[in-house]
Amino acid sequence: MTTAILERLSTLSVSGQHLRRLPKILEDGLPKMPGTVPESDVPQLFREPYIRAGYRPTGREWRYYFFSLFQKHNEVVNVWTHLLAALAVLLRFWAFVEAEGLPWSSAHALPLLLYVLSSITYLTFSLLAHLLQSKSELSHYTFYFVDYVGVSVYQYGSALVHFFYTSDQAWYEHFWLFFLPAAAFCGWLSCAGCCYAKYRYRRPYPVMRKICQVVPAGLAFILDISPVAHRVVLCHLSGCQEQAVWYHSLQIVFFLVSAYFFSCPVPEKYFPGSCDIVGHGHQIFHAFLSVCTLSQLEAVLLDYRGRQEIFLQRHSPLSVYMACLSFFCLVACSAATAAFLRQKIKARLTKKDS
């Protein structure tokens, strides 16, 4: 009995020693987090206009950049806005599934599933780009190319649900034949334009780079939002009180505001060095784009639930499956375009270093 007690006390003593060492073990296991640096300490590629400080040093281990999620730097708000938005999309959709008992194998549900997948994809790819791009020049290009693939996927996912759930009959009768093929092409063009602009132009970026980014993305938005805009205008003119239409209206407003902050470096242009960590235009763009996506999700869920009869009258299961198959074709084309330009970037960087 005495021996057993002594053995137990010895075990507790060893466990206590381990517990006392735990803070040291954790400290040794985490990367040393160097402070952020001014713009003069990072290569030109990583510098943003009017952002003077808050940059993470390049060339660290990967875990440093992952753990910088919890560090104060000039990208952390960009990361957290889309991380929280992705979680919000996932939780809201899961609550809807629990409440409605979504039939996963139904053709009616397939566009909704692809839309939610595309939303989480673009938000995840975006936060990874902002979190990890500082590792090296090749990482910078790679993760932003991945980000652009996510944008094109989200554009087409939005086009699918706007076409199948949101469009009214008058719009549908005029545009049903070419809307989705045109949306797929514009989604790919948006990815190709952004990737090419990133590949072609160097900092400080000329206006042409912004044109290569904004014009294809703008065309994709105008096309993708056309069934929504048509329904919103007709609804407001007739004095309707559809709840989904109000969420669609908010979606349009939030996107237009986000587009302004994406295109214009404000307010940091007027307060250089004062918006480095919090408050610069790209962060505001992220915030408004996040609430745009959440408004869109709410509207789409209402349309999915309330307009099922219209869906069944218009679309056969085969037509839905074919349209949704094109989603994966767009993913493949956009990914191939990004991979091709990444290889050209890699060859250019290798040549520069040799």
Side-chain angles (χ1 to χ4, degrees):
M1 183 68 175
T2 304
T3 303
I5 293 174
L6 290 174
E7 288 178 354
R8 178 63 58 84
L9 290 174
S10 175
T11 302
L12 291 174
S13 176
V14 172
S15 299
Q17 292 175 5
H18 287 165
L19 287 174
R20 285 193 296 271
R21 293 175 55 196
L22 184 58
K24 178 64 175 175
I25 293 172
L26 290 175
E27 182 181 351
D28 293 340
L30 292 174
K32 298 295 186 287
M33 301 294 284
T36 57
V37 297
E39 62 177 344
S40 58
D41 289 354
V42 296
Q44 184 75 23
L45 177 66
F46 300 95
R47 301 177 192 176
E48 295 292 340
Y50 312 108
I51 304 300
R52 305 303 188 213
Y55 294 92
R56 289 165 294 170
T58 61
R60 303 284 174 167
E61 295 181 352
W62 280 112
R63 61 177 184 169
Y64 162 67
Y65 298 99
F66 280 106
F67 279 104
S68 70
L69 178 65
F70 306 104
Q71 185 186 23
K72 186 174 70 173
H73 54 81
N74 58 27
E75 292 277 28
V76 71
V77 175
N78 290 327
V79 174
W80 276 99
T81 47
H82 278 183
L83 175 59
L84 293 175
L87 293 174
V89 168
L90 190 60
L91 291 174
R92 179 65 186 97
F93 178 63
W94 186 254
F96 181 81
V97 170
E98 290 288 305
E100 300 294 325
L102 195 73
W104 298 98
S105 59
S106 167
H108 181 225
L110 189 54
L112 177 61
L113 294 173
L114 292 180
Y115 163 73
V116 172
L117 175 64
S118 71
S119 299
I120 294 173
T121 297
Y122 104 82
L123 292 166
T124 302
F125 285 2
S126 172
L127 73 89
L128 288 175
H130 289 283
L131 185 65
L132 303 176
Q133 57 91 15
S134 296
K135 174 76 166 66
S136 65
E137 291 191 9
L138 183 59
S139 297
H140 177 90
Y141 284 108
T142 300
F143 284 106
Y144 276 117
F145 286 174
V146 169
D147 186 17
Y148 302 147
V149 172
V151 170
S152 72
V153 168
Y154 172 64
Q155 288 170 343
Y156 193 57
S158 297
L160 285 174
V161 290
H162 292 166
F163 177 76
F164 284 112
Y165 304 139
T166 301
S167 60
D168 64 16
Q169 191 61 28
W171 180 94
Y172 179 80
E173 289 174 355
H174 285 88
F175 300 105
W176 70 271
L177 183 61
F178 64 83
F179 175 74
L180 287 180
F185 175 74
C186 287
W188 170 81
L189 187 64
S190 176
C191 175
C194 289
C195 289
Y196 177 76
K198 192 74 175 172
Y199 161 76
R200 173 67 176 80
Y201 298 106
R202 311 286 192 280
R203 296 183 190 273
Y205 293 132
V207 175
M208 184 55 67
R209 176 183 180 270
K210 188 64 73 174
I211 292 175
C212 289
Q213 289 182 315
V214 171
V215 170
L219 290 174
F221 171 75
I222 291 171
L223 180 65
D224 296 345
I225 207 66
S226 61
V228 174
H230 185 268
R231 183 171 160 209
V232 165
V233 170
L234 291 183
C235 182
H236 287 311
L237 288 176
S238 62
C240 78
Q241 297 296 322
E242 291 185 56
Q243 188 179 9
V245 170
W246 288 101
Y247 280 110
H248 281 305
S249 302
L250 290 174
Q251 169 196 346
I252 295 172
V253 171
F254 288 143
F255 181 86
L256 293 176
V257 174
S258 72
Y260 169 77
F261 283 103
F262 175 80
S263 304
C264 305
V266 292
E268 65 268 21
K269 180 178 180 180
Y270 304 105
F271 307 99
S274 299
C275 307
D276 293 348
I277 306 301
V278 177
H280 59 78
H282 201 83
Q283 295 172 350
I284 301 173
F285 157 70
H286 269 227
F288 275 101
L289 190 59
S290 296
V291 294
C292 166
T293 301
L294 294 174
S295 299
Q296 180 188 39
L297 173 63
E298 204 63 40
V300 167
L301 294 178
L302 289 168
D303 286 340
Y304 171 87
R305 184 170 53 195
R307 309 182 88 230
Q308 184 170 357
E309 288 187 11
I310 298 174
F311 176 93
L312 295 175
Q313 290 170 5
R314 291 179 183 170
H315 309 291
S316 67
L318 179 60
S319 67
V320 177
Y321 294 141
M322 292 299 293
C324 292
L325 181 63
S326 65
F327 175 88
F328 297 100
C329 294
L330 171 69
V331 173
C333 291
S334 297
T337 302
F340 171 74
L341 287 173
R342 181 191 179 275
Q343 284 300 111
K344 294 183 74 66
I345 286 287
K346 185 176 180 181
R348 188 170 72 191
L349 292 175
T350 301
K351 183 178 180 180
K352 185 181 75 171
D353 293 339
S354 61

